[in-house]
Amino acid sequence: MVPTTARAPTVEHELDGTTTEYDDVPVAGDHVERLLRELFTEHWAEITVGPILQGAAWEIRFVKAPTLTMLDGYLTTDTGAWHFHLCVGDTRAGGRDDLAQIRRVARAAFFQTTGEQMLTVFFPNPYYDDASERLRAPDFTRTALWEDFRRRYRA
């Protein structure tokens, strides 16, 4: 169940001088799985996903709705030509409790700057169109999906 009252955002000051504001999403139970299922089944055409790590950024747009399956705690997102697995639930991890603990997503959040995380979902941007072309004037209606998910899924 989604909490009815949200916790205050967490603000972190990074070494490079940036400030990141996080609205955490509960990771217990099936909360992250439900969030991703909704994003990937109902809003797949509107989002870009992928990890952003130091030295690498994968910005993936779906060309059709992916197929989602769950096995041993891993949500598999399959486009046919490629797929990825995210550990969002309880896993046996070959009977290794220590591995099971580190494999499962430990933190999920909506955030306002960049950072290193397991998966980034890029919501529609008010400054760019769907082809990533800069708009002449911001279109803040493009933030509706972000605002809706942020409101419904934050901790």
Side-chain angles (χ1 to χ4, degrees), residues 5-13 19-25 107-113 146-147 150-151 154-155:
T5 57
R7 287 188 284 175
T10 302
V11 177
E12 295 181 8
H13 302 281
T19 300
T20 304
E21 182 178 302
Y22 296 93
D23 285 311
D24 284 300
V25 172
R107 184 179 191 190
F110 295 100
F111 63 94
Q112 302 264 358
T113 61
W146 154 270
E147 292 297 339
R150 188 175 177 201
R151 177 186 52 79
R154 66 192 279 189

Side-chain angles (χ1 to χ4, degrees), residues 21-41:
E21 182 178 302
Y22 296 93
D23 285 311
D24 284 300
V25 172
V27 296
D30 68 347
H31 202 77
V32 173
E33 177 188 356
R34 288 185 296 114
L35 182 151
L36 293 176
R37 281 186 181 278
E38 184 175 343
L39 279 172
F40 294 166
T41 59

Side-chain angles (χ1 to χ4, degrees), residues 3-135:
T4 56
T5 57
R7 287 188 284 175
T10 302
V11 177
E12 295 181 8
H13 302 281
E14 309 296 339
L15 293 175
D16 65 0
T18 62
T19 300
T20 304
E21 182 178 302
Y22 296 93
D23 285 311
D24 284 300
V25 172
V27 296
D30 68 347
H31 202 77
V32 173
E33 177 188 356
R34 288 185 296 114
L35 182 151
L36 293 176
R37 281 186 181 278
E38 184 175 343
L39 279 172
F40 294 166
T41 59
E42 297 178 31
H43 303 285
W44 62 268
E46 302 168 69
I47 61 174
T48 303
V49 302
I52 300 206
L53 311 168
Q54 293 297 326
W58 297 6
E59 298 176 17
I60 301 165
R61 294 288 306 246
F62 297 112
V63 296
K64 65 178 185 173
T67 300
L68 303 175
T69 57
M70 187 75 162
L71 179 64
D72 191 27
Y74 284 84
L75 179 67
T76 298
T77 304
D78 190 346
T79 67
W82 55 269
H83 65 274
F84 60 88
H85 311 280
L86 294 172
C87 188
V88 299
D90 293 332
T91 182
R92 293 184 306 274
R96 299 255 327 256
D97 291 340
D98 57 335
L99 288 179
Q101 184 176 355
I102 63 172
R103 287 181 179 176
R104 184 173 177 160
V105 63
R107 184 179 191 190
F110 295 100
F111 63 94
Q112 302 264 358
T113 61
T114 59
E116 191 167 313
Q117 62 281 331
M118 187 183 288
L119 177 76
T120 299
V121 175
F122 298 93
F123 286 85
N125 187 311
Y127 299 97
Y128 293 91
D129 64 17
D130 290 337
S132 296
E133 297 293 327
R134 180 92 173 161
L135 296 171

